[in-house]
Amino acid sequence: MGFRALLTDRDADGKITSTVADIDEARLPEGNVTVDIDWAGLNYKDGLCLTGGGGLVRNYPHVAGIDFAGTVRQSADERYAVGQAVVLTGWRVGEAQWGGYAERARVNADWLVPLPEGLSTRDAMIVGTAGVTAMLSINRLEAAGLTPDAGEVLVTGAAGGVGSIATALLAKLGYSVAALSGRPQHADALKALGAASIVDRNEFLEAPDKPLESARWAAAIDSVGGKVLGKLLKQVKYGGAVASLGNAGGIGLDTNVLPFILRGVTLIGIDSVMQPYATRIAAWKRIAETFDISAYGDLVREIGLEELPDAAEQILAGQIKGRLLVKPR
Ligand code: NDP
């Protein structure tokens, strides 16, 4: 039986295009669980996969979509029963393996997570890879000693997917959040999520650069990299830590060693893709306990498969607010 998918292909000149197509189930990749997809997400990496950026997709035609939530349709794995709600993030699904921009996916059971109690498949995709990455970042910062009484936590790329969920999760956990954003028009939405203050990205970057600057932040969660990460490291308080998870502003890191050797600052790398099962289960459990989905409602927009190519361009241009959900059927 066939299903609808957004098929991304590369022509002889290397041009990448995506069109909705009917696909025979026999073309699904190998795997022991087949999932009927209710919702997929749009992430920065999906923007790259849909436009051929970053060399992430090697084999065409391809079905992109790095995260999805849905219902088990067939299972040859005893952990998953037909009808069970599941979510998938990471494992290079949507990059090296067909992903979530389709009505159906077939994957390795080890990559799935049973949906925690209290979350619908739509809720799970509001959270998506962005939310898992935000939660993993907070968990690592706390393991490094961060507590709510340590002072303000800076979140960069705050109006984006990871940044906005990190803002909401931190605020709910009792942290005082400073949300750094290049889009002042989203300041009210960020305050509604719990941000105590807004830091204008341009003002932040234009301030005179010194080897070590006034210590302002107890910790930071950084989606941006580049100049933003380089500068914020110089403003972290003694003993503080920074979770570096993204490169929306560049892969460079222009800083110096003074924050590390004079203030004992720790730089923590966050990867959500290859996290072991137990870490994912723990992250999803804490998300279900912490994240107020209803408070996030204004930052969610729904689209169909046909609208994805345009949305991919928008997310790469930093124009998407919050989370964009994809409904494949
Ligand atoms: P979004 O596009 O939703 O958010 C990125 C945000 O970064 C934008 O909203 C914008 O925030 C800011 N931004 C964009 N371009 C620039 C720029 N040129 N200079 C400075 N700031 C910029 O993406 P996601 O939240 O999905 O992902 C964020 C980053 O994290 C990406 O680099 C992504 O690849 C990475 N990532 C990494 C993961 C991991 O496992 N390590 C998992 C998920 C994502 P604002 O408008 O508020 O300034």
Side-chain angles (χ1 to χ4, degrees), residues 71-321:
T71 312
V72 173
R73 179 184 177 88
Q74 276 175 341
S75 170
D77 185 285
E78 61 185 18
R79 287 169 292 176
Y80 293 101
V82 172
Q84 188 174 349
V86 288
V87 58
L88 184 144
T89 65
W91 296 109
R92 303 202 63 217
V93 169
E95 305 173 50
Q97 159 97 4
W98 278 18
Y101 295 154
E103 290 176 329
R104 209 163 294 161
R106 187 178 295 137
V107 295
N108 184 329
D110 294 338
W111 303 340
L112 293 167
V113 169
L115 219 60
E117 191 102 353
L119 288 186
S120 67
T121 50
R122 186 175 183 278
D123 295 341
M125 266 312 99
I126 291 175
V127 173
T129 301
V132 172
T133 309
M135 193 77 260
L136 291 170
S137 302
I138 295 169
N139 289 346
R140 290 284 303 277
L141 290 174
E142 289 182 342
L146 180 66
T147 53
D149 58 6
E152 275 187 297
V153 179
L154 182 70
V155 174
T156 70
V162 181
S164 57
I165 299 184
T167 299
L169 287 171
L170 283 166
K172 201 75 196 302
L173 290 166
Y175 289 93
S176 175
V177 181
L180 182 143
S181 177
R183 293 183 287 173
Q185 67 270 31
H186 299 320
D188 288 344
L190 289 169
K191 284 188 178 156
L193 285 183
S197 63
I198 306 293
V199 180
D200 180 277
R201 191 207 303 155
N202 288 333
E203 286 175 17
F204 175 83
L205 286 173
E206 281 161 11
D209 202 36
K210 300 184 201 149
L212 209 55
E213 302 182 9
S214 296
R216 295 171 72 184
W217 320 114
I221 294 182
D222 177 57
S223 295
V224 174
K227 286 186 179 154
V228 168
L229 176 58
K231 188 158 181 77
L232 79 83
L233 278 166
K234 301 171 188 172
Q235 300 180 358
V236 176
K237 287 184 179 176
Y238 192 91
V242 176
S244 161
L245 68 95
N247 59 347
I251 59 165
L253 177 54
D254 181 11
T255 191
N256 65 73
V257 298
L258 296 188
F260 307 112
I261 64 174
L262 296 183
R263 289 194 182 144
V265 169
T266 303
L267 182 57
I268 298 170
I270 302 294
D271 168 60
S272 66
V273 177
M274 305 306 288
Q275 288 296 322
Y277 188 69
T279 313
R280 283 165 200 271
I281 294 279
W284 276 104
K285 181 169 178 291
R286 198 171 183 207
I287 287 166
E289 289 161 0
T290 312
F291 191 46
D292 181 359
I293 301 277
S294 61
Y296 197 82
D298 289 349
L299 285 158
V300 177
R301 188 159 68 86
E302 295 177 7
I303 61 168
L305 294 177
E306 290 80 1
E307 293 157 88
L308 269 166
D310 284 346
E313 304 285 350
Q314 288 166 13
I315 199 160
L316 293 180
Q319 290 166 357
I320 300 283
K321 175 172 81 160

Side-chain angles (χ1 to χ4, degrees), residues 2-5 22 35-38 100-105 305 328-329:
F3 63 95
R4 258 163 46 94
D22 279 313
V35 179
D36 281 328
I37 297 176
D38 297 335
Y101 295 154
E103 290 176 329
R104 209 163 294 161
L305 294 177
R329 50 187 95 237

